[in-house]
Amino acid sequence: EAIKSKSDSNWRNYGPLQINWDSWQVMNGSHVAPTLHENGRSIYLAINCPLRRLNATGTDGTWKDWIYPADKFEYKLIDDLCNSNKS
């Protein structure tokens, strides 16, 4: 179902991830958005701008541990999101 609605939304690609950019929501001080992984799984991605860390749900839907960005696409994702939300 998520694939069909991609044309209606602003999906952006970062490494193995496709993120529904228009759906970011703030939860507990972090930005959370539904994301598609290249393996076909739907996950949620969370980014904490002040800490510059990210998190994602696992295959069972539970959150993993917060991590620092390691790959170029992770740094770009944090920069794009956090810089766009500064006013």
Side-chain angles (χ1 to χ4, degrees):
E1 291 295 321
I3 303 295
K4 288 183 182 176
S5 64
K6 277 184 13 179
S7 61
D8 302 333
S9 302
N10 179 11
W11 288 82
R12 296 189 189 179
N13 295 314
Y14 289 87
L17 307 176
Q18 287 185 332
I19 302 164
N20 186 344
W21 204 257
D22 295 332
S23 67
W24 286 105
Q25 308 245 340
V26 177
M27 296 179 175
N28 298 324
S30 298
H31 299 276
V32 179
T35 302
L36 290 173
H37 191 276
E38 67 184 2
N39 64 13
R41 291 197 175 107
S42 294
I43 61 171
Y44 281 91
L45 181 68
I47 296 181
N48 183 301
C49 288
L51 296 177
R52 299 191 62 78
R53 292 193 193 175
L54 38 96
N55 199 343
T57 54
T59 53
D60 61 356
T62 59
W63 290 99
K64 300 179 183 179
D65 292 326
W66 287 96
I67 61 165
Y68 288 102
D71 295 317
K72 274 187 180 178
F73 80 87
E74 293 170 334
Y75 283 101
K76 178 160 176 39
L77 170 57
I78 289 174
D79 286 344
D80 287 355
L81 177 70
C82 298
N83 292 340
S84 71
N85 284 305
K86 288 181 182 169
S87 50

